[in-house]
Amino acid sequence: MTRLRIRPTAIIAIISMIFLLAPFIVVVGSSFDAAEGFNIKFPPRDLTLRWYRELPPKYLDGLYVSLVTATIVAAISTIIGLMIALGLVRGGLASRTFLDAFFRIPVQIPLVVTGAVFLQFYYQLIAITGINLLTSIAGLVVAHCFVAI
């Protein structure tokens, strides 16, 4: 019979995850309580969805945009990323080193800089072609795919 040996790093990792996730569990759990005001009760005494029914529509619209964007970006970046990975690993490309570095650019450039570049690009696109990607889901998808791929 083999003994299960728990490594110290596994214990530290589990404790760290509990420490990081505990506030989220308390906040989400207390959001189902019927208490008034800022009274946080965990675990909840009276289960209700009242606070979720009272959410303003602007927050539900933001949730909708986020979910649609995330779904589209996940599908597109998975397909393109898989094709790129297979091409780099199995393809006999002469410029493999260049392409490998090129596809690491989003990781090496800070996201604030990437966001500012996309903002400037979208403004130029409006000025030159009249296409407005600033206020559309398509613009979000393009920018997020750049980072996700």
Side-chain angles (χ1 to χ4, degrees):
M1 178 175 185
T2 60
R3 282 184 71 189
L4 180 64
R5 197 175 100 187
I6 299 176
R7 296 186 177 137
T9 55
I11 294 171
I12 292 171
I14 291 169
I15 291 171
S16 299
M17 292 303 292
I18 291 170
F19 178 76
L20 292 172
L21 293 176
F24 294 109
I25 292 169
V26 170
V27 169
V28 170
S30 64
S31 72
F32 292 105
D33 192 61
E36 292 293 325
F38 292 103
N39 299 329
I40 294 178
K41 293 180 182 174
F42 185 79
R45 313 297 190 275
D46 302 319
L47 291 177
T48 182
L49 293 174
R50 172 184 168 207
W51 302 115
Y52 292 99
R53 283 192 299 269
E54 292 181 9
L55 279 174
K58 67 179 180 179
Y59 296 126
L60 296 177
D61 292 341
L63 177 65
Y64 170 76
V65 169
S66 295
L67 289 176
V68 168
T69 303
T71 304
I72 295 169
V73 167
I76 291 172
S77 63
T78 299
I79 292 167
I80 294 174
L82 180 64
M83 290 189 299
I84 292 168
L86 289 174
L88 287 175
V89 171
R90 295 186 179 171
L93 302 171
S95 58
R96 180 177 175 210
T97 307
F98 170 75
L99 289 173
D100 196 26
F102 176 75
F103 288 115
R104 262 188 271 132
I105 288 174
V107 179
Q108 296 169 343
I109 297 173
L111 292 177
V112 173
V113 175
T114 304
V117 168
F118 268 103
L119 184 63
Q120 289 177 346
F121 171 71
Y122 288 164
Y123 277 130
Q124 290 296 320
L125 191 65
I126 292 170
I128 295 170
T129 65
I131 298 172
N132 186 1
L133 292 179
L134 278 174
T135 57
S136 68
I137 291 179
L140 284 172
V141 167
V142 169
H144 280 84
C145 278
F146 177 78
V147 175
I149 291 172

